[in-house]
Amino acid sequence: MTKPKVDPRPHSRVVFDGVKQTPSRAMLRATGFDDRDFRRSQVGIASTWSTLTPCNMHIDRLADAAVRGVDGAGGKGTIFGTITVSDGISMGTPGMRYSLVSREVIADSIETVVGAQGFDGLVAIGGCDKNMPGCMMAIARLDRPAVFVYGGTIRPGAGRRDIVSVFEAVGAHARGALSDRQLREVERTAIPGPGSCGGMYTANTMASAIEALGMSLPNSSAQEAVSRTKRLDAERAGRAVVQLVRRGIKPSDILCREAFENAIVVTIALAGSTNAVLHLLAIAHSAGIPLQLDDFTRIGARVPVLADLRPSGRYSMSELIRIGGIQPLMRTLLDAGLLHGGCLTVTGRTLAENLRRVKPYPAGQQIVRSLADPIKAESHLVVLYGNLAPEGAVAKISGKEGLQFEGRARVFDSEEETLQAILDGTVVAGDVVVVRYEGPRGGPGMREMLSPTAAIMGKGLGDRVALVTDGRFSGGSHGFVVGHVAPEAAVGGPLALVRDGDPISIDAVARTMTLDVADRELAKRRATWVPPARPAERGVLAKYAALVSSASLGAVTDRQLSSFHAKPAES
């Protein structure tokens, strides 16, 4: 049977061809188009470039490289911009409420431009936490041939410092372990140039997960931002997307359920960020794939943590890059039957075919353990349920902070109150710090609690204090921390009923989180509970709060289109 011929211009010919589209061509001639360009496959290059954060300050150069790749392969590349916000800069301030919101704005804006301009393909380049899943959500929604390019990791600062070193230095300064001069020295030397935060924090986690999904080229996740390999990665992505257009390979051919399972496996093996749970749920939603919290538990029961990477481990992403990146790890996981090798990728080949010639890590390296000697025998991402989290919560338990915690609640209604209490010594050993009204609706925006968790570590309380929140955590957070508590306090979730002194028990083995207060007492409290005033009356935060779903569903804003609540597949 003859394979049907693929139209290399399925969308752009509607915009460019024929007499009636003469005005469209006239507009584009002003930008440099000529007659030949109108006959080429049109590829949009979505750039998250800005100079407001190191993560994205170099992406303009990567976008230019992607255009060279597209044009060299016979397509026509056109760069357009979308926003980014910096988590590291806005962390601990009201501005952090816009961080998760930006994921939706980015997805919406890319979808809008690609849909309006009739691009046949897309290269999306992201370098910071939320613009990466935002790019992927747009790619999944549009379902046009696409490749994601990661902007790359930052190089370590002096003394192997990074941004988390700075946050933890604030806590150390508060307890008197660092002088003013030493704190300034950390501030001045931790961030040496372009690139995303240098541990297995959210950016590097999501880059690795997207590579495992098959939506970026091999090793795109494991390259330094300032490197020739990263520029070549962007150029190759441009060439690759033209081939995908010609072959008619779309994201829906790649983003199957097995691909998401591969992403979860790789995230666990790398000890990745809890944000991966939120973002993979959201990307799956955009792709129409039924993924649930319990899938992380099912998969996590058979996948060990192998990478000794920051924040809970010792090594940086740059050090992982020097021994081969994540490809040797993926080959190990594939050979062990933990990855689905038959999944198609943006190379046009399967995952197994991509990994066929990958060499193992060099002998003697200590960054990635063998399957026979894992850091943790099962996942560090632990989904907890109980009367404090009926819809679930997500904990990041490396094992170093212990597997159980019992303590008395110390309750705060905002991140700011919490941080002050940690720094001034109000929070003491044995406390379960409860930070509520910071969920997707209540924040609104589900702020990350890096400032409080880093202050706890800096104060030397990492294994003696737990923190529970309906907000979320930076990939740089570590310690005994539980986030994404659902339903959130602002909608009447049980977290709203907790009072100072209430006993709380957390068990990562039994996967439970329990408020040890009688049901009768909780009913009394609920009868007198008054919902908080809406924190945003208009603007993007108000729109977000009105639309956003529970964190247990990925905190998505197009939830009304969802038509599934599938049970997790049998193992």
Side-chain angles (χ1 to χ4, degrees), residues 7 13 90 96 199 204 214 230 304 310 436 475 524:
D7 184 358
R13 68 173 63 254
S90 62
M96 187 63 191
N204 283 318
K230 180 44 66 183
R310 295 175 179 172
R436 62 192 180 192
K524 286 182 181 178

Side-chain angles (χ1 to χ4, degrees), residues 63-231:
D64 289 339
V67 169
R68 287 196 298 274
V70 170
D71 292 355
K76 175 62 177 177
T78 300
I79 298 172
F80 66 94
T82 185
I83 67 163
T84 191
V85 301
S86 172
D87 291 3
I89 295 170
S90 62
M91 196 76 70
T93 76
M96 187 63 191
R97 292 189 173 97
Y98 290 90
S99 171
L100 190 57
V101 176
S102 76
R103 185 189 73 178
E104 309 300 303
V105 175
I106 291 162
D108 291 350
S109 66
I110 293 174
E111 178 190 354
T112 299
V113 174
V114 173
Q117 297 302 122
F119 291 126
D120 302 304
L122 173 66
V123 175
I125 310 173
C128 195
D129 296 5
K130 305 312 165 298
N131 54 61
M132 300 168 69
C135 288
M136 280 302 305
M137 289 162 69
I139 285 171
R141 291 180 196 171
L142 289 159
D143 199 27
R144 302 183 189 190
V147 179
F148 176 79
V149 176
Y150 176 42
T153 190
I154 198 171
R155 291 173 176 166
R160 300 177 69 244
R161 295 180 182 126
D162 61 17
I163 185 60
V164 176
S165 306
V166 185
F167 279 96
E168 293 184 359
V170 173
H173 179 266
R175 79 167 194 265
L178 275 184
S179 67
D180 291 347
R181 182 187 61 78
Q182 290 170 317
L183 183 61
R184 283 194 298 274
E185 172 67 12
V186 173
E187 175 189 331
R188 289 168 176 164
T189 61
I191 314 295
S196 299
C197 301
M200 191 48 64
Y201 311 144
T202 302
N204 283 318
T205 296
M206 288 311 301
S208 302
I210 292 167
E211 182 174 331
L213 278 172
M215 287 305 304
S216 60
L217 295 175
N219 258 339
S220 180
S221 67
Q223 295 161 344
E224 289 181 332
V226 183
S227 67
R228 182 172 179 270
T229 53
K230 180 44 66 183
R231 293 194 301 276

